[in-house]
Coordinates of all heavy atoms in Angstrom, one line a residue:
W1 N 10.6 21.2 126.8 CA 9.7 20.4 126.3 C 8.3 21.1 126.2 O 7.7 21.0 125.2 CB 9.5 19.1 127.2 CG 8.6 18.1 126.7 CD1 8.8 17.0 125.8 CD2 7.1 18.1 126.9 NE1 7.7 16.4 125.5 CE2 6.5 17.1 126.1 CE3 6.2 19.0 127.6 CZ2 5.2 16.7 126.1 CZ3 4.9 18.6 127.5 CH2 4.4 17.5 126.9
F2 N 7.9 21.9 127.2 CA 6.7 22.6 127.2 C 6.7 23.7 126.1 O 5.8 23.9 125.4 CB 6.4 23.3 128.6 CG 5.6 22.3 129.5 CD1 6.3 21.4 130.2 CD2 4.3 22.3 129.4 CE1 5.7 20.5 131.1 CE2 3.6 21.4 130.3 CZ 4.3 20.5 131.0
K3 N 7.8 24.3 125.9 CA 8.0 25.3 124.8 C 7.7 24.7 123.5 O 6.9 25.2 122.7 CB 9.3 26.0 124.9 CG 9.6 27.0 123.8 CD 11.1 27.5 124.0 CE 11.4 28.4 122.8 NZ 12.8 28.8 122.8
N4 N 8.4 23.6 123.2 CA 8.3 22.9 122.0 C 6.8 22.3 121.8 O 6.2 22.4 120.7 CB 9.2 21.8 121.9 CG 10.6 22.3 121.7 OD1 10.8 23.4 121.3 ND2 11.6 21.5 122.1
R5 N 6.2 21.8 122.9 CA 4.9 21.3 122.8 C 3.8 22.4 122.5 O 2.9 22.1 121.7 CB 4.5 20.6 124.2 CG 3.2 19.8 124.2 CD 3.2 18.7 123.2 NE 1.9 18.0 123.2 CZ 0.8 18.3 122.6 NH1 0.8 19.4 121.8 NH2 -0.2 17.6 122.8
R6 N 4.0 23.5 123.1 CA 3.1 24.7 122.7 C 3.2 25.0 121.3 O 2.2 25.3 120.5 CB 3.4 25.9 123.6 CG 2.9 25.7 125.0 CD 3.1 27.1 125.8 NE 4.4 27.5 125.9 CZ 5.3 27.3 126.9 NH1 4.9 26.5 127.8 NH2 6.5 27.9 126.8
A7 N 4.4 25.0 120.7 CA 4.7 25.4 119.3 C 4.0 24.3 118.5 O 3.4 24.6 117.5 CB 6.2 25.5 119.0
R8 N 4.1 23.1 118.9 CA 3.5 22.0 118.1 C 2.0 22.1 118.0 O 1.3 21.9 117.1 CB 3.9 20.6 118.6 CG 3.3 19.4 117.8 CD 3.9 18.1 118.2 NE 4.1 18.0 119.6 CZ 4.0 16.8 120.2 NH1 3.8 15.7 119.6 NH2 4.1 16.8 121.5
L9 N 1.4 22.4 119.3 CA 0.0 22.6 119.4 C -0.5 23.8 118.5 O -1.5 23.7 117.8 CB -0.5 22.9 120.8 CG -2.0 23.2 121.1 CD1 -2.8 21.9 120.7 CD2 -2.2 23.6 122.5
K10 N 0.3 24.9 118.5 CA 0.0 26.0 117.6 C 0.0 25.7 116.1 O -1.0 26.1 115.4 CB 0.9 27.1 117.9 CG 0.6 28.4 117.2 CD 1.6 29.5 117.6 CE 1.3 30.8 116.8 NZ 2.4 31.8 117.1
R11 N 1.0 24.8 115.7 CA 1.0 24.4 114.3 C -0.2 23.5 114.0 O -0.7 23.6 112.9 CB 2.3 23.6 114.1 CG 3.5 24.5 113.7 CD 4.7 23.6 113.2 NE 4.9 22.4 113.8 CZ 5.7 22.2 114.8 NH1 6.5 23.2 115.3 NH2 5.8 21.0 115.3
Q12 N -0.5 22.6 114.9 CA -1.7 21.7 114.7 C -3.0 22.5 114.5 O -3.8 22.2 113.8 CB -1.7 20.7 115.8 CG -0.7 19.7 115.8 CD -0.6 18.8 117.0 OE1 -1.2 19.1 118.1 NE2 0.1 17.7 117.0
K13 N -3.2 23.5 115.4 CA -4.3 24.3 115.3 C -4.5 25.1 114.0 O -5.5 25.3 113.5 CB -4.4 25.3 116.5 CG -4.8 24.6 117.8 CD -4.9 25.5 118.9 CE -5.4 24.9 120.2 NZ -5.6 25.9 121.3
S14 N -3.3 25.6 113.5 CA -3.4 26.4 112.2 C -3.5 25.5 111.1 O -3.7 25.9 110.0 CB -2.1 27.3 112.2 OG -1.0 26.5 111.9
G15 N -3.1 24.2 111.3 CA -3.3 23.2 110.2 C -2.1 23.2 109.2 O -2.2 22.7 108.1
T16 N -1.1 24.0 109.5 CA 0.1 24.1 108.6 C 1.3 23.6 109.4 O 1.3 23.6 110.5 CB 0.3 25.5 108.1 OG1 0.6 26.4 109.2 CG2 -0.8 26.0 107.3
K17 N 2.3 23.2 108.6 CA 3.6 22.9 109.1 C 4.6 23.8 108.6 O 4.6 24.1 107.4 CB 3.9 21.4 108.8 CG 4.8 20.7 109.7 CD 4.9 19.3 109.5 CE 5.6 18.6 110.6 NZ 5.7 17.2 110.4
A18 N 5.6 24.2 109.4 CA 6.7 25.0 108.9 C 7.4 24.3 107.8 O 7.8 23.1 107.9 CB 7.6 25.5 110.0
K19 N 7.6 25.0 106.7 CA 8.2 24.3 105.5 C 9.6 24.8 105.4 O 9.9 26.1 105.6 CB 7.5 24.5 104.3 CG 6.2 23.8 104.2 CD 5.4 24.0 102.9 CE 4.2 23.3 102.8 NZ 3.5 23.4 101.5
S20 N 10.6 24.0 105.1 CA 11.9 24.5 104.8 C 12.0 25.0 103.4 O 11.2 24.6 102.5 CB 12.9 23.3 105.0 OG 12.6 22.3 104.2
P21 N 12.9 25.9 103.1 CA 13.0 26.4 101.8 C 13.3 25.3 100.7 O 14.0 24.3 101.1 CB 14.1 27.5 101.8 CG 14.8 27.3 103.1 CD 13.9 26.5 104.0
D22 N 12.8 25.5 99.5 CA 13.1 24.5 98.4 C 14.6 24.7 98.1 O 14.9 25.7 97.6 CB 12.2 24.9 97.3 CG 12.3 23.8 96.2 OD1 13.0 22.8 96.4 OD2 11.8 24.1 95.0
L23 N 15.3 23.6 98.3 CA 16.8 23.7 98.0 C 17.1 23.9 96.5 O 18.0 24.6 96.1 CB 17.5 22.4 98.5 CG 17.5 22.3 100.0 CD1 18.2 21.0 100.4 CD2 18.2 23.5 100.7
A24 N 16.2 23.3 95.7 CA 16.4 23.5 94.2 C 16.3 24.9 93.8 O 17.1 25.4 93.0 CB 15.5 22.6 93.5
T25 N 15.4 25.6 94.4 CA 15.2 27.1 94.1 C 16.3 27.9 94.7 O 16.8 28.7 94.0 CB 13.8 27.5 94.7 OG1 12.8 26.7 94.1 CG2 13.6 29.0 94.4
S26 N 16.7 27.5 95.9 CA 17.7 28.3 96.5 C 19.0 28.2 95.8 O 19.8 29.0 95.5 CB 18.0 27.7 98.0 OG 16.8 28.0 98.8
K27 N 19.4 26.9 95.4 CA 20.6 26.7 94.6 C 20.6 27.4 93.3 O 21.6 27.9 92.8 CB 20.8 25.2 94.4 CG 21.3 24.5 95.7 CD 21.5 23.1 95.5 CE 22.0 22.4 96.8 NZ 22.3 20.9 96.6
R28 N 19.4 27.4 92.7 CA 19.3 28.1 91.3 C 19.6 29.6 91.5 O 20.2 30.2 90.6 CB 17.9 27.9 90.8 CG 17.7 28.4 89.4 CD 16.4 28.2 88.8 NE 15.3 28.8 89.7 CZ 14.2 28.2 90.0 NH1 13.9 27.0 89.6 NH2 13.3 28.8 90.7
D29 N 19.3 30.2 92.6 CA 19.5 31.6 92.8 C 21.0 32.0 93.2 O 21.4 33.1 93.0 CB 18.6 32.2 94.0 CG 17.1 32.1 93.5 OD1 16.9 32.1 92.3 OD2 16.2 32.1 94.4
W30 N 21.7 31.0 93.7 CA 23.0 31.3 94.1 C 23.9 31.9 93.0 O 24.6 32.8 93.2 CB 23.7 30.0 94.7 CG 23.1 29.6 96.0 CD1 22.2 30.3 96.8 CD2 23.4 28.5 96.7 NE1 21.9 29.6 98.0 CE2 22.7 28.5 97.9 CE3 24.2 27.4 96.5 CZ2 22.7 27.4 98.8 CZ3 24.2 26.3 97.4 CH2 23.5 26.3 98.6
P31 N 24.0 31.2 91.8 CA 24.8 31.7 90.7 C 24.5 33.2 90.4 O 25.5 33.9 90.2 CB 24.6 30.8 89.6 CG 24.0 29.6 90.2 CD 23.3 30.0 91.4
T32 N 23.3 33.6 90.5 CA 22.9 35.0 90.1 C 23.6 35.9 91.2 O 24.1 36.9 90.8 CB 21.4 35.1 90.2 OG1 20.8 34.2 89.3 CG2 21.0 36.5 89.8
V33 N 23.4 35.5 92.5 CA 24.1 36.4 93.5 C 25.5 36.4 93.3 O 26.2 37.5 93.3 CB 23.6 35.8 94.9 CG1 24.4 36.6 96.0 CG2 22.1 36.0 95.1
Y34 N 26.1 35.3 93.1 CA 27.6 35.2 92.9 C 28.0 36.0 91.7 O 28.9 36.8 91.8 CB 28.0 33.7 92.7 CG 29.5 33.6 92.4 CD1 30.5 33.7 93.4 CD2 29.9 33.3 91.1 CE1 31.8 33.6 93.1 CE2 31.3 33.2 90.8 CZ 32.2 33.4 91.8 OH 33.5 33.2 91.5
N35 N 27.3 35.9 90.6 CA 27.7 36.6 89.4 C 27.5 38.1 89.6 O 28.3 38.9 89.1 CB 26.8 36.2 88.2 CG 27.2 34.8 87.7 OD1 28.3 34.3 88.0 ND2 26.3 34.1 87.1
N36 N 26.5 38.5 90.3 CA 26.3 40.0 90.5 C 27.5 40.5 91.4 O 28.0 41.6 91.2 CB 25.0 40.2 91.2 CG 23.8 40.1 90.4 OD1 24.0 40.1 89.1 ND2 22.6 39.9 90.9
R37 N 27.9 39.7 92.4 CA 28.9 40.2 93.3 C 30.3 40.2 92.4 O 31.0 41.2 92.5 CB 29.2 39.2 94.4 CG 28.2 39.4 95.4 CD 28.5 38.4 96.6 NE 27.5 38.5 97.6 CZ 27.2 37.6 98.5 NH1 28.0 36.5 98.6 NH2 26.3 37.7 99.4
R38 N 30.5 39.2 91.6 CA 31.7 39.3 90.7 C 31.6 40.4 89.7 O 32.6 41.2 89.6 CB 31.8 38.0 89.9 CG 33.1 37.8 89.2 CD 33.3 36.5 88.5 NE 32.3 36.3 87.6 CZ 31.9 35.2 87.1 NH1 32.5 34.1 87.5 NH2 30.9 35.0 86.2
F39 N 30.4 40.7 89.2 CA 30.3 41.9 88.3 C 30.6 43.2 89.0 O 31.3 44.1 88.5 CB 28.9 41.9 87.7 CG 28.6 43.1 86.9 CD1 29.2 43.2 85.6 CD2 27.9 44.1 87.3 CE1 28.9 44.3 84.8 CE2 27.6 45.2 86.5 CZ 28.2 45.3 85.3
M40 N 30.0 43.3 90.3 CA 30.3 44.5 91.0 C 31.7 44.7 91.3 O 32.2 45.7 91.3 CB 29.4 44.5 92.3 CG 27.9 44.7 92.0 SD 27.0 44.6 93.5 CE 27.5 46.0 94.4
G41 N 32.4 43.6 91.7 CA 33.8 43.6 92.0 C 34.6 44.1 90.8 O 35.5 44.9 90.9
N42 N 34.3 43.5 89.6 CA 35.0 43.9 88.4 C 34.8 45.4 88.0 O 35.7 46.1 87.6 CB 34.7 43.0 87.2 CG 35.2 41.6 87.5 OD1 36.2 41.4 88.2 ND2 34.6 40.6 86.7
S43 N 33.6 45.9 88.2 CA 33.3 47.2 87.8 C 33.9 48.2 88.8 O 34.3 49.2 88.3 CB 31.7 47.4 87.7 OG 31.1 47.2 88.9
L44 N 34.0 47.8 90.1 CA 34.6 48.7 91.0 C 36.1 48.8 90.7 O 36.7 49.8 90.9 CB 34.4 48.2 92.4 CG 33.0 48.4 93.0 CD1 32.9 47.7 94.4 CD2 32.7 49.8 93.1
S45 N 36.7 47.7 90.3 CA 38.2 47.7 90.1 C 38.5 48.6 88.9 O 39.5 49.2 88.8 CB 38.7 46.3 89.9 OG 38.1 45.7 88.8
R46 N 37.5 48.7 87.9 CA 37.8 49.6 86.7 C 37.7 51.0 87.2 O 38.3 51.9 86.5 CB 36.7 49.2 85.7 CG 37.1 48.0 84.9 CD 36.1 47.8 83.7 NE 35.6 46.5 83.8 CZ 34.4 46.0 83.6 NH1 33.5 46.9 83.2 NH2 34.0 44.7 83.6

C-alpha cells in the first residue's frame, strides 16, 4: 500500500498519469510486423 501510495503521490506531483498504449495504433502495426516476418521466412527458404 505504501509503495503504491508513493507512486500515486509522485504522479500527482508531476501532473501526469501513466497512459496505456493506444490499442488502435498498436493493432495497426501488427500486420506490418507479421508481414515482415512472413517475408523474411519466405526469403530464407529460397
Side-chain angles (χ1 to χ4, degrees):
W1 185 91
F2 273 87
K3 178 182 172 186
N4 292 338
R5 185 62 178 84
R6 287 190 300 269
R8 183 171 39 150
L9 179 64
K10 185 177 178 181
R11 277 194 317 268
Q12 289 171 343
K13 283 184 176 180
S14 70
T16 60
K17 204 170 190 181
K19 293 184 179 182
S20 59
D22 182 12
L23 292 178
T25 303
S26 299
K27 287 182 180 178
R28 185 177 61 223
D29 293 340
W30 290 351
T32 305
V33 173
Y34 175 75
N35 289 337
N36 288 344
R37 285 185 185 160
R38 189 173 62 198
F39 175 75
M40 289 177 67
N42 288 341
S43 60
L44 288 175
S45 62
R46 283 188 229 142

